[in-house]
């Protein structure tokens, strides 16, 4: 007799949830649930706005898509992959996770009904980034309260931190090592088997759910701190008329020098996760000096950059083109992108700023930042061009003729060290970190 495939419901179909659900659908009966009707409509039509899954892969997948929890059967695993942002005071905002837990809790209650029963007590796995303790101390009680069930008897919880890197085609869900943790040894093995069937990178069984939560939150905090050091020395060396790139080129010849670069730290992970850890640390009475110092340095980088660019145009009101608005290259994700902070600071200094990005959605930009992206921006010339995000499409279509965007005596500012200054006209000034 053939063993029935496990049933899985993935809650949240963004950058994390969709690739995971598509991968799981190869070895399980998988349903993808998202509260956005528009998102489900787009995915059903074969379009993924995140750019993570192409049309052919969506069409070939057996993944069931829905925005209605009632369409999902009782499942063996419920995997929560919703975002965990911060609020205006840099405090953890768990509202989406709590809402998702309520949704799952209602589904767990249906799981007790005899129709379409799961093979055993269901397991709820969280992939969202938390500080240690959220899964067991906040999510599990929420699930119990909504479902009327007992955690540890009627259902169990587990944790497997997401490691999706938007736009990264090398470290994909089917290749990376997945950290897993479960409420009991039996739950741990079931979760390990579920993810082990998905990835060739294997699974790592963490000592506890809290240890897995902590591992995730320090991964990005560590990167944040290292980038903060680079940003600070960039500012120091600028005072000495030194380019950080020349310094790093020399320093990187040492075998154990860490290869980090300066820049604007945004996105949904590195610029957010350290605040989760620091929040919990302060609740415990410990002031996290290193973590918050790194955050302060990185959050201040946009303002510092704007003042440097202001000086490059002799503090005179100028027309400036900003090329690239997303938080990193070759993705459409504008969440927490610090390029918008640079634009705001430049406008506050009296400059007229035109924004352009071939990947970002213009409606999302207007909704989130009240900034209009101009699709015709590359048809005019400016006093300064700020090359903020080095999308590959720019190199394919613009970089060979970049000088035409700059007026005589103008400036090309390159914060990613991506442009060869030898390709510019002699009357165009080149500035970089």
């Amino acid at each position: 007799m053939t063993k029935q495939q496990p049933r899985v419901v993935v809650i949240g179909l963004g950058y994390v949830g969709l690739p995971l659900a598509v991968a799981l659908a190869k070895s399980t009966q998988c349903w993808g649930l998202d509260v956005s009707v528009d998102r489900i409509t787009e995915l059903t039509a074969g379009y993924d706005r995140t750019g993570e899954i192409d049309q052919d892969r969506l069409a070939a997948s057996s993944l069931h898509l829905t925005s209605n929890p009632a369409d999902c059967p009782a499942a063996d695993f419920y995997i929560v992959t919703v975002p965990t942002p911060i609020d205006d005071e840099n405090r953890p905002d768990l509202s989406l996770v709590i809402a998702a837990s309520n949704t799952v809790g209602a589904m767990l209650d249906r799981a007790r009904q005899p129709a379409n029963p799961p093979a055993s007590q269901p397991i709820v796995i969280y992939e969202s980034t938390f500080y240690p303790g959220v899964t067991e101390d906040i999510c599990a009680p929420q699930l119990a309260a909504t479902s009327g069930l007992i955690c540890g008897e009627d259902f169990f919880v587990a944790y497997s931190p997401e490691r999706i890197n938007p736009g990264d085609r090398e470290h994909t869900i089917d290749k990376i090592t997945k950290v897993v943790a479960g409420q009991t040894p039996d739950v741990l093995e079931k979760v390990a088997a579920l993810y082990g069937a998905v990835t060739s990178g294997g699974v790592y069984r963490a000592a506890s759910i809290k240890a897995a939560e902590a591992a995730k939150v320090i991964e990005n905090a560590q990167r944040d701190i290292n980038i903060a050091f680079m940003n600070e020395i960039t500012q120091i060396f600028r005072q000495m008329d030194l380019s950080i790139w020349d310094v790093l080129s020399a320093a990187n010849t040492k075998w154990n020098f860490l290869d980090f670069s300066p820049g604007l730290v945004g996105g949904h992970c590195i610029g957010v996760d350290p605040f989760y850890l620091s929040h919990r640390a302060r609740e415990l009475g410990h002031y996290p000096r290193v973590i918050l110092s790194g955050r302060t340095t990185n959050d201040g980088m946009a303002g510092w950059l704007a003042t440097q660019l202001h000086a490059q145009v002799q503090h005179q009101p100028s027309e400036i083109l900003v090329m690239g608005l997303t938080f990193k290259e070759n993705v459409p994700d504008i969440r927490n992108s610090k390029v918008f902070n640079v634009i705001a600071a430049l406008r506050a200094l009296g400059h007229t700023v035109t924004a352009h990005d071939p990947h970002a959605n213009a409606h999302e930009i207007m909704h989130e930042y009240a900034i209009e992206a101009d699709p015709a921006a590359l048809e005019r010339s400016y006093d300064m061009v700020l090359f903020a995000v080095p999308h590959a499409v720019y190199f394919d279509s613009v970089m060979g003729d970049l000088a035409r965007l700059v007026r005589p005596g103008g400036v090309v500012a390159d914060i990613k060290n991506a442009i060869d200054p030898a390709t510019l006209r002699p009357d165009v000034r080149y500035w970089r970190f």
Side-chain angles (χ1 to χ4, degrees), residues 212-273:
E213 291 169 324
K216 169 57 182 176
V217 80
I218 71 166
E219 288 173 10
N220 285 324
Q222 182 190 66
R223 287 188 58 79
D224 193 46
I225 291 167
N226 279 287
I227 297 171
F229 174 68
M230 290 295 155
N231 281 337
E232 183 166 70
I233 61 175
T234 294
Q235 297 178 31
I236 294 171
F237 292 150
R238 174 53 56 185
Q239 301 262 11
M240 304 176 186
D241 198 27
L242 280 171
S243 168
I244 183 63
W245 304 110
D246 291 338
V247 176
L248 292 179
S249 180
N252 275 318
T253 61
K254 188 169 188 281
W255 62 91
N256 61 352
F257 187 80
L258 301 180
D259 187 18
F260 286 90
S261 302
L264 302 172
V265 182
H268 64 293
C269 287
I270 298 179
V272 173
D273 295 356

Side-chain angles (χ1 to χ4, degrees), residues 303-325:
W304 177 83
L305 173 59
T307 61
Q308 296 296 306
L309 300 179
H310 186 53
Q312 289 301 307
V313 291
Q314 288 75 49
H315 304 94
Q316 297 299 312
S318 303
E319 293 185 13
I320 300 175
L321 169 65
V322 175
M323 296 175 63
L325 304 172

Side-chain angles (χ1 to χ4, degrees), residues 356-380:
H356 181 271
D357 194 292
H359 291 295
N361 183 284
H363 296 293
E364 291 182 7
I365 293 170
M366 177 59 69
H367 180 267
E368 295 296 327
Y369 300 99
I371 289 176
E372 182 177 0
D374 186 353
L378 304 185
E379 299 174 7
R380 301 187 294 276

